[in-house]
Amino acid sequence: MKTTVQDLQRRLIALGFPLPKFGPDGDFGAESIAAINNALDELAMWRDVGEKEAAKEHPGHSRHRRYRIHNRGRR
């Protein structure tokens, strides 16, 4: 199944990452990028909580990585 930008936008909204200005319009613009980065931030927060718990069990082992999607001149 091919996932479109509009499908991705609908899924972001369903997960609680709103697109209040344009909604699921099918355009991969700044609002979509911001929603994806917000989702990535929240996932990173949960990952960090898991890593802190794992660090208690395995001291000295860390795999922290930060992912971002950048806007390249889009609205």
Side-chain angles (χ1 to χ4, degrees), residues 36-54:
I36 290 168
N37 283 331
N38 288 339
L40 289 171
D41 288 344
E42 188 160 320
L43 289 170
M45 178 195 68
W46 285 107
R47 183 202 59 226
D48 292 347
V49 169
E51 282 186 357
K52 287 178 186 173
E53 292 300 314

Side-chain angles (χ1 to χ4, degrees), residues 23-72:
D25 62 358
D27 180 36
F28 194 73
E31 186 174 54
S32 297
I33 291 169
I36 290 168
N37 283 331
N38 288 339
L40 289 171
D41 288 344
E42 188 160 320
L43 289 170
M45 178 195 68
W46 285 107
R47 183 202 59 226
D48 292 347
V49 169
E51 282 186 357
K52 287 178 186 173
E53 292 300 314
K56 291 177 187 175
E57 297 175 22
H58 307 283
H61 181 68
S62 176
R63 298 182 330 196
H64 184 73
R65 209 178 265 160
R66 190 83 169 171
Y67 297 99
R68 304 299 296 166
I69 295 178
H70 300 282
N71 184 356
R72 301 209 186 268

